Amino acid sequence: MGHSVEVTKDWNGIDQVVLRNARGASAQVSLHGAQVTSWRSNQGEELLFTSSKAIFKPPKEVRGGISICFPQFGNCGSPEQHGLARNKIWTIDKSPPPFGSDDSYGKSVIDLLLVPSEEDKKYWLHSFEFRLRVSLATNGNLTMTSRIRNVNGKPFSFSFAYHTYFSVSDISEVRIEGLETLDYLDSLCQKERFTEQGDAVTFESEVDRVYLSSPNIIAVLDHGRKRTFVMRKEGLPDVVVWNPWEKKSKSMMNFGVEEYKQMLCVDGAAIEKPITLKAGEQWTGQLEFSVVPSSFCSEHLDPRWRPFE
Ligand code: BG6
């Protein structure tokens, strides 16, 4: 069996795309929100968390996986928390403009497109083309590349995040490396700015932060499963870290009370300094996820890594 791309229907009759590599890994992408709803390793293990209480009913996004927050992160006074992109039906992009290098070689790839309808423009006035490429490589790595073009007459600004729910053994066994010494905005304290003091970020209560200007490689170490997620990012200076913990979990309809133990959101994002595009300009933001045995980590992470070179 080689690489494959298969389009099927989900329970709501919406197309979903299943990417497979030749070694048993897979990724599933729904056209509802262009949300990645599953990513399995070459060993067949599910790596993303989806709530057992998730509601699969458009237009609302599903609690879990990887969703796209655009054109804003949070609600910024607007009714659409985390923006419109995650609640829209995307289309398959049959002829995406070429990438600089041949990005699809040896990978299983799908290109999706979102163009706002007249209805969407009541909420956000601007005309854009949002192209998302999701690819699965032979080594099981998952890459998401967003290209957003201003097709408006005028400039516009936006913030952005890949809202990523990692599946973890137990939140108390997890730590994040790569964010130490950084400043962060604490969403639990009116976005007040603090400086990270720990050697790594660990969890013993609710956390909701935006770490600012982070390195391009972040590692999420899961001691319980002895596996490490490595996130490499480009064009995305900030990192959101979120775990609702017990009390907030109880107030979330589509989330199990104990499920905060099995998930951690770590989002590659551009939030503090919104991206501004002039007419005709394009922005690119890319994330590559890999999973490695924990013993492999740290010293093998090369901070000079750049996906666009
Ligand atoms: C996180 C935010 O990324 O997403 C939190 O930092 C928010 O503040 C969480 O509560 C979940 O958002 P939503 O809209 O998916 O429930």
Side-chain angles (χ1 to χ4, degrees):
M1 193 178 70
H3 287 278
S4 69
V5 179
E6 189 192 355
V7 181
T8 60
K9 297 265 182 218
D10 73 7
W11 300 333
N12 294 303
I14 294 170
D15 283 347
Q16 58 181 6
V17 182
V18 184
L19 307 176
R20 290 195 173 82
N21 75 2
R23 298 191 186 159
S26 64
Q28 195 170 294
V29 190
S30 173
L31 264 56
H32 172 213
Q35 185 167 359
V36 175
T37 52
S38 165
W39 171 38
R40 288 180 184 274
S41 67
N42 284 344
Q43 290 69 39
E45 286 174 307
E46 179 59 61
L47 303 170
L48 300 177
F49 167 88
T50 301
S51 171
S52 63
K53 299 277 191 314
I55 301 167
F56 295 85
K57 202 164 183 252
K60 295 309 283 178
E61 77 295 339
V62 172
R63 171 80 59 202
I66 307 173
S67 56
I68 306 278
C69 303
F70 169 84
Q72 93 242 359
F73 181 80
N75 65 18
C76 307
S78 133
E80 283 209 70
Q81 153 91 344
H82 292 340
L84 54 79
R86 67 177 182 167
N87 298 333
K88 295 290 157 203
I89 302 294
W90 292 52
T91 55
I92 293 178
D93 191 3
K94 299 249 163 57
S95 49
F99 280 74
S101 54
D102 186 7
D103 177 70
S104 62
Y105 183 75
K107 293 177 183 165
S108 172
V109 173
I110 186 74
D111 287 291
L112 300 181
L113 175 64
L114 179 68
V115 176
S117 64
E118 286 309 310
E119 186 63 27
D120 297 336
K121 287 187 197 158
K122 287 187 191 149
Y123 156 74
W124 202 61
L125 205 61
H126 308 291
S127 295
F128 62 86
E129 287 168 0
F130 187 150
R131 294 193 150 79
L132 173 72
R133 169 167 285 191
V134 182
S135 65
L136 184 70
T138 307
N139 59 9
N141 287 8
L142 180 74
T143 303
M144 299 179 74
T145 309
S146 289
R147 296 185 290 170
I148 297 173
R149 180 174 293 283
N150 181 343
V151 291
N152 226 11
K154 293 187 289 229
F156 63 68
S157 299
F158 62 89
S159 53
F160 183 92
Y162 290 106
H163 190 18
T164 305
Y165 288 74
F166 289 111
S167 168
V168 299
S169 59
D170 182 334
I171 188 67
S172 58
E173 299 274 325
V174 174
R175 69 175 199 271
I176 307 177
E177 290 185 2
L179 303 177
E180 49 281 1
T181 75
L182 298 184
D183 280 5
Y184 62 86
L185 307 179
D186 193 339
S187 305
L188 302 177
C189 300
Q190 289 81 45
K191 305 215 161 50
E192 204 182 319
R193 196 174 179 122
F194 296 94
T195 302
E196 180 57 54
Q197 305 292 344
D199 290 342
V201 180
T202 54
F203 301 89
E204 46 193 28
S205 60
E206 184 179 357
V207 170
D208 192 353
R209 299 176 183 167
V210 182
Y211 284 85
L212 305 174
S213 306
S214 83
N216 278 339
I217 300 194
I218 304 294
V220 179
L221 290 84
D222 182 345
H223 199 64
R225 290 223 175 92
K226 301 206 174 349
R227 77 180 176 201
T228 296
F229 295 103
V230 181
M231 198 168 100
R232 298 177 166 90
K233 59 191 179 60
E234 187 69 17
L236 301 160
D238 306 323
V239 173
V240 181
V241 177
W242 180 61
N243 184 289
W245 217 256
E246 198 173 354
K247 186 156 157 266
K248 177 140 193 212
S249 298
K250 288 186 183 148
S251 71
M252 285 159 45
M253 239 183 36
N254 52 358
F255 194 74
V257 175
E258 296 279 312
E259 284 185 329
Y260 72 93
K261 295 178 184 164
Q262 294 146 34
M263 56 71 71
L264 175 62
C265 283
V266 184
D267 312 350
I271 296 172
E272 190 203 17
K273 297 183 186 113
I275 312 287
T276 299
L277 290 179
K278 293 192 195 120
E281 274 184 347
Q282 175 173 279
W283 168 85
T284 302
Q286 186 177 72
L287 269 192
E288 180 180 351
F289 300 100
S290 47
V291 63
V292 294
S294 284
S295 53
F296 175 86
C297 216
S298 296
E299 67 271 29
H300 291 84
L301 300 178
D302 180 355
R304 289 162 304 174
W305 185 89
R306 292 282 179 285
F308 296 142
E309 277 168 11

